[in-house]
Amino acid sequence: MTIAVSAVVLLGVFVYLLWRYARLPLWQAAICAAFGYYLSSSSIGPEVGNGLRALARFIAGLVL
């Protein structure tokens, strides 16, 4: 749950920055949000979540 909330916040900030500085039209940002919503409720949604969790574990395991 913590990873999902962090990913939502991170992606939300990313879309906001694109809207603010890269002149992303608001309607395109809304389409991105709708696509994410429908993707999460589809049959591939759990696989996307598993991939994000695996990526988070990989990043957490990096030693710099």
Side-chain angles (χ1 to χ4, degrees):
M1 183 66 177
T2 305
I3 294 172
V5 173
S6 299
V8 167
V9 170
L10 181 65
L11 291 173
V13 168
F14 182 68
V15 170
Y16 172 75
L17 291 174
L18 282 175
W19 172 69
R20 180 81 173 144
Y21 297 109
R23 307 275 189 229
L24 178 72
L26 191 57
W27 67 271
Q28 288 179 352
I31 289 175
C32 288
F35 176 71
Y37 174 75
Y38 287 118
L39 181 65
S40 69
S41 64
S42 71
S43 61
I44 198 170
E47 295 301 320
V48 172
N50 291 338
L52 287 174
R53 280 187 287 281
L55 179 65
R57 281 192 300 269
F58 174 74
I59 291 173
L62 289 177
V63 177
L64 301 177

